[in-house]
């Protein structure tokens, strides 16, 4: 399933193999020029990230170039907000289009000229029939299509009608321009496809200049040609469009230079949906809190969740490029960010489900600054001071009144180490009189066991994280679980994917954080010792810290958050 290879030796993927052959044959003057062509009708997701990494990555590897091009041929679905978010996301992922940001709509004049050229050469005609009738005449996969009654209009009449379409003389849907390719072709897309339709709609880039708009197929290959693209990489569903891509170039251009379309398998991730249309349903239906909700696989959601560009690029590289559809385990994505954050983040202490501990033989009012290492994997990250006091909080989960045999944490009579501080021993348990719930634990500490002190290497069963009750900062902590309970939410034809939404995908708790985090800024990332990786949310303010859990340390973490999965 996964295309993992030896770290040091990586065979060429099939696209690289094609490129290397092309270079060998000196095709297109040995240029390599790719593009990433999003339609600005939603926010980018992790699938797009794969395509971005692939296109920009190939350009880099072969000393070529990669353009960013908005495929904005459909005026009714596209919005400026999406353009802006896409620009930001590609930049954030770490790629640079070096000023080559284009719009397919920049080419509307040239595309229009090419359409006239086809008409003049007897390769296109104006059809007065409705979309429905045209659809019916196309036939089916097993029956051939039939010719339109308007098929044999003269060149003059076609040209005249097409110009009048452009001039706005006809209402939406009353006429289309179609290519004359092959009414009976086994490839349905070649059965005289529509090239232009009438749409009296404003366009985000061209305003009200046009009331006819080219179809995707008529725009894409020619846009590649105009930009000098050599390798036009897209996902497998475009394989059947390739003969059309080539037909337009065959009939419109005379140069030796030719862009070539190459298809690869799109990224599918378990427990995840990736269609912009479906993501929009989740956003507009209020199932999530906006396009950057940390539960979504959008780039902006992943960024808010605490993913780094490096982890996403690493993931894209690891999964490789396949020719056939497959499903990647979302755990690999989670692993990628864990791996990256492990190297980069400070270890700090936070308690998410607090239980008060009073150390009865520790002087009241005393504060000791304990020195804790910031990242045991990286000495250069130094250390910091954490205040220790008589009253502290530990994780409720780290105490059990009647522990099973292998419980190595705090229990009546048991001794544990407090990370970077002292050993404590549980002497007494205080319970809520009505509920019987343990609300406080009274302990004693051994002064000889101070971290670095004479007894600090004494054998002890467990080490707990803690936060001073007096110094701890309150923080809202958002704990995320998978948004879907089913591995393949779109894989059930009889069910709506919304039925699989996990009602427990977001749990919010109020935790206590060590005071060194007082001045954190949005998007700063930390490891909360023993709990996982956390990222400061943009909602966070100095008087109300907000953290998102990026990933737990262990996958069976759910206990602390309550019920969990
Ligand atoms: P969606 O169906 O999610 O809206 P799309 O293919 O319609 O995706 P586009 O904006 O047209 O979105 O895609 C821009 C580029 O990203 C295209 O080249 C497309 O092939 C690629 N792409 C989209 N989804 C994926 C995916 N899951 N894996 C890899 N590449 C993808
Ligand atoms: Mg699309």
């Amino acid at each position: 399933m996964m295309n993992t290879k030896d770290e040091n030796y990586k065979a060429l993927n099939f696209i690289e193999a094609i490129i290397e052959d092309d270079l060998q044959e000196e095709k297109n003057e040995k240029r390599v020029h790719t593009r990433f062509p999003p339609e600005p009708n939603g926010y980018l997701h992790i699938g797009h990230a794969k395509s971005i990494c692939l296109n920009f990555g190939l350009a880099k590897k072969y000393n070529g170039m990669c353009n960013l091009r908005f495929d904005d041929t459909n005026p009714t679905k596209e919005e400026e907000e999406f353009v802006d978010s896409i620009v930001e996301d590609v930049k954030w992922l770490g790629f640079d289009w070096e000023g080559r940001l284009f719009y397919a709509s920049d080419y509307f004049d040239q595309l229009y000229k090419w359409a006239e050229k086809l008409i003049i050469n007897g390769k296109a005609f104006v059809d007065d029939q409705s979309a429905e009738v045209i659809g019916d005449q196309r036939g089916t996969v097993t029956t051939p299509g039939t010719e339109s009654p308007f098929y044999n209009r003269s060149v003059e009449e076609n040209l005249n009608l097409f110009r009048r379409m452009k001039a706005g003389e006809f209402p939406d849907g009353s006429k289309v321009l179609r290519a004359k390719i092959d009414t009976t072709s086994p490839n349905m897309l070649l059965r005289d496809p529509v090239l232009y339709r009438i749409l009296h709609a404003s366009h985000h880039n061209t305003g009200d200049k046009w009331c006819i708009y080219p179809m995707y197929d008529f725009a894409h290959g020619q846009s590649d040609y105009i930009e000098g693209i050599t390798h036009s990489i897209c996902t497998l569903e475009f394989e059947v469009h390739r003969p059309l891509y080539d037909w337009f170039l065959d009939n419109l251009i005379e140069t030796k230079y030719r862009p070539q379309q190459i298809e690869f398998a799109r990224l599918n991730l378990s427990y995840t949906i990736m269609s912009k249309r479906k993501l929009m349903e989740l956003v507009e239906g209020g199932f999530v809190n906006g396009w950057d909700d940390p539960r979504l696989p959008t780039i902006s959601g992943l960024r808010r969740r605490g993913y780094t560009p490096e982890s996403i690029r690493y993931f894209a590289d690891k999964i490789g490029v396949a020719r056939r559809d497959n499903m990647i385990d979302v755990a690999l994505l989670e692993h990628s960010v864990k791996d990256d954050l492990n190297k980069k983040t400070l270890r700090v202490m936070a308690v998410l489900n607090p239980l008060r501990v009073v150390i009865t033989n520790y002087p009241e009012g005393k504060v000791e600054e304990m020195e804790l290492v910031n990242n045991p994997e990286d000495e250069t990250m130094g250390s910091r001071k954490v205040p220790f006091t008589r009253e502290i909080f530990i994780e409720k989960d780290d105490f059990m009144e009647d522990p099973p045999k292998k419980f190595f944490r705090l229990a009546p009579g048991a001794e544990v180490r407090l990370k970077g501080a002292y050993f404590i021993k549980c002497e007494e348990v205080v319970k809520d009189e009505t509920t019987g719930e343990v609300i406080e634990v009274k302990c004693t500490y051994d002064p000889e066991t101070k971290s670095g002190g004479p007894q600090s290497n004494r054998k002890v069963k467990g080490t707990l994280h803690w936060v001073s009750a007096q110094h701890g900062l309150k923080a809202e902590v958002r704990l995320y679980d998978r948004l879907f309970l089913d591995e393949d939410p779109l894989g059930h034809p009889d069910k709506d994917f919304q039925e699989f939404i996990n009602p427990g995908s977001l749990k919010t708790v109020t935790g206590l954080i060590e005071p060194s985090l007082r001045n954190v800024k949005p998007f700063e990332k930390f490891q909360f010792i023993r709990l996982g990786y956390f990222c400061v949310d943009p909602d966070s303010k100095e008087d109300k810290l907000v953290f998102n859990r990026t990933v737990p340390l262990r996958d069976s973490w759910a206990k602390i958050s309550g019920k969990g999965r």
Side-chain angles (χ1 to χ4, degrees):
M1 227 171 57
M2 243 168 62
N3 193 10
T4 44
K5 305 222 170 71
D6 180 51
E7 291 295 327
N8 301 315
Y9 173 77
K10 268 187 119 179
L12 295 183
N13 67 46
F14 79 95
I15 299 178
E16 291 166 339
I18 292 172
I19 291 178
E20 299 211 351
D21 280 349
D22 290 346
L23 291 174
Q24 198 103 59
E25 289 165 21
E26 309 202 354
K27 194 175 157 185
N28 296 329
E29 297 152 324
K30 296 175 84 169
R31 288 186 306 113
V32 173
H33 198 156
T34 57
R35 85 286 170 265
F36 173 65
E39 184 183 355
N41 61 346
Y43 279 60
L44 296 182
H45 52 61
I46 182 76
H48 294 115
K50 172 174 175 172
S51 173
I52 292 167
C53 292
L54 179 60
N55 279 294
F56 281 92
L58 288 169
K60 187 166 176 213
K61 176 165 182 178
Y62 294 103
N63 280 320
M65 295 186 273
C66 182
N67 296 358
L68 175 59
R69 181 200 315 145
F70 288 100
D71 223 319
D72 58 350
T73 50
N74 185 350
T76 58
K77 286 199 298 189
E78 291 146 6
E79 286 180 37
E80 208 58 49
E81 177 197 349
F82 300 139
V83 169
D84 295 343
S85 74
I86 290 169
V87 165
E88 191 189 336
D89 287 349
V90 177
K91 246 191 242 167
W92 179 78
L93 277 173
F95 298 106
D96 184 359
W97 49 88
E98 299 161 322
R100 293 180 310 275
L101 186 156
F102 303 119
Y103 294 88
S105 57
D106 293 337
Y107 313 135
F108 281 173
D109 284 310
Q110 177 63 56
L111 290 169
Y112 178 82
K113 283 186 201 143
W114 272 328
E116 285 205 350
K117 179 172 176 175
L118 287 182
I119 295 174
I120 290 164
N121 292 338
K123 305 263 177 158
F125 69 103
V126 173
D127 196 330
D128 295 357
Q129 303 180 105
S130 69
E132 211 181 358
V133 175
I134 292 174
D136 288 345
Q137 275 171 5
R138 264 219 181 126
T140 66
V141 189
T142 48
T143 58
T146 45
E147 217 166 69
S148 162
F150 298 95
Y151 192 90
N152 293 313
R153 274 178 160 154
S154 69
V155 168
E156 290 67 33
E157 190 184 0
N158 280 321
L159 208 49
N160 176 268
L161 285 171
F162 187 51
R163 287 176 179 168
R164 289 172 60 200
M165 278 167 66
K166 176 180 178 245
E169 289 188 30
F170 307 114
D172 288 1
S174 61
K175 286 182 172 33
V176 290
L177 182 72
R178 295 175 69 184
K180 293 186 182 182
I181 303 182
D182 181 358
T183 324
T184 61
S185 168
N187 182 339
M188 298 280 290
L189 292 172
L190 297 182
R191 294 183 187 173
D192 302 345
V194 173
L195 308 182
Y196 267 90
R197 68 237 157 105
I198 302 173
L199 260 180
H200 291 268
S202 282
H203 186 281
H204 80 102
N205 188 27
T206 57
D208 292 321
K209 180 175 174 191
W210 297 90
C211 63
I212 55 171
Y213 288 96
M215 302 301 288
Y216 168 87
D217 280 318
F218 191 66
H220 199 85
Q222 289 94 302
S223 300
D224 284 342
Y225 178 77
I226 291 168
E227 293 180 14
I229 302 304
T230 54
H231 300 84
S232 178
I233 298 159
C234 59
T235 36
L236 278 178
E237 69 272 22
F238 290 100
E239 196 168 9
V240 287
H241 294 246
R242 188 172 358 119
L244 199 48
Y245 183 103
D246 290 335
W247 190 89
F248 290 129
L249 293 174
D250 288 343
N251 284 279
L252 293 172
I253 63 159
E254 275 116 44
T255 55
K256 196 163 165 236
Y257 149 66
R258 266 315 194 80
Q260 177 189 358
Q261 179 180 306
I262 303 165
E263 308 86 16
F264 72 101
R266 64 170 45 231
L267 167 65
N268 298 307
L269 263 189
S270 60
Y271 298 95
T272 310
I273 59 162
M274 251 183 285
S275 139
K276 277 181 279 182
R277 202 165 51 78
K278 297 271 168 22
L279 294 174
M280 173 127 24
E281 280 179 45
L282 292 174
V283 172
E284 293 187 340
F287 296 101
V288 294
N289 303 315
W291 284 99
D292 66 346
D293 188 300
R295 289 167 290 180
L296 291 182
T298 52
I299 310 280
S300 50
L302 292 169
R303 174 165 62 229
R304 190 167 180 178
R305 176 92 170 233
Y307 276 74
T308 56
E310 293 81 4
S311 63
I312 294 175
R313 296 201 303 260
Y314 172 85
F315 170 74
D317 189 48
K318 267 284 180 221
I319 57 179
V321 186
R323 279 178 204 265
R324 289 292 155 247
D325 275 320
N326 56 9
M327 170 90 83
I328 303 287
D329 191 334
V330 71
L332 181 62
L333 181 63
E334 292 160 358
H335 166 78
S336 304
V337 72
K338 233 184 277 186
D339 212 47
D340 192 36
L341 294 179
N342 178 42
K343 287 176 249 155
K344 293 178 178 161
T345 55
L346 302 186
R347 272 58 171 161
V348 297
M349 293 198 289
V351 173
L352 299 189
N353 193 7
L355 174 65
R356 185 178 293 270
V357 173
V358 179
I359 304 161
T360 53
N361 61 339
Y362 194 85
E364 251 174 274
K366 180 172 175 179
V367 181
E368 272 182 279
E369 296 290 341
M370 301 297 186
E371 180 123 3
L372 271 90
V373 177
N374 283 333
N375 188 340
E377 316 239 327
D378 184 355
E379 260 180 43
T380 64
M381 289 172 83
S383 62
R384 70 190 183 291
K385 296 264 169 33
V386 182
F388 183 79
T389 51
R390 185 172 193 262
E391 293 197 14
I392 58 166
F393 286 103
I394 63 165
E395 215 66 68
K396 211 167 242 169
D397 243 30
D398 282 338
F399 174 81
M400 271 185 106
E401 201 179 0
D402 282 313
K405 260 222 161 75
K406 294 243 153 124
F407 188 75
F408 296 136
R409 292 167 274 167
L410 198 61
E415 190 175 50
V416 294
R417 172 191 278 120
L418 293 174
K419 177 94 188 161
Y422 294 98
F423 290 14
I424 56 169
K425 190 168 167 190
C426 173
E427 311 282 358
E428 190 187 335
V429 175
V430 183
K431 293 184 185 173
D432 182 297
E433 280 179 13
T434 45
T435 64
E437 188 195 354
V438 175
I439 49 172
E440 188 180 301
V441 176
K442 292 195 194 301
C443 296
T444 51
Y445 85 114
D446 178 352
E448 298 292 299
T449 58
K450 184 170 178 175
S451 179
Q455 288 284 322
S456 63
N457 288 328
R458 201 165 84 201
K459 239 185 143 196
V460 71
K461 279 193 202 161
T463 300
L464 307 187
H465 60 277
W466 52 274
V467 172
S468 155
Q470 184 190 335
H471 297 85
L473 310 170
K474 266 198 183 166
E476 177 180 322
V477 182
R478 299 173 182 167
L479 305 171
Y480 301 100
D481 198 350
R482 285 169 188 163
L483 186 55
F484 293 99
L485 294 168
D486 191 86
E487 193 182 28
D488 185 11
L490 296 177
H492 306 266
D494 51 328
K495 291 219 171 108
D496 187 9
F497 75 98
Q498 295 177 359
E499 287 179 39
F500 299 109
I501 291 179
N502 176 4
S505 63
L506 168 60
K507 288 195 188 88
T508 302
V509 298
T510 303
L512 284 158
I513 320 273
E514 64 168 69
S516 70
L517 269 61
R518 186 176 304 280
N519 296 313
V520 291
K521 298 280 173 303
F523 301 107
E524 276 188 63
K525 298 161 181 65
F526 299 92
Q527 185 194 97
F528 290 176
I529 291 172
R530 299 177 65 225
L531 298 178
Y533 293 97
F534 292 76
C535 178
V536 182
D537 190 82
D539 288 346
S540 192
K541 308 219 169 46
E542 214 170 302
D543 56 342
K544 195 188 174 240
L545 300 175
V546 183
F547 288 86
N548 294 313
R549 186 178 67 197
T550 312
V551 272
L553 278 187
R554 290 182 306 267
D555 296 341
S556 60
W557 183 83
K559 282 180 223 153
I560 283 175
S561 61
K563 285 199 296 186
R565 234 184 275 144

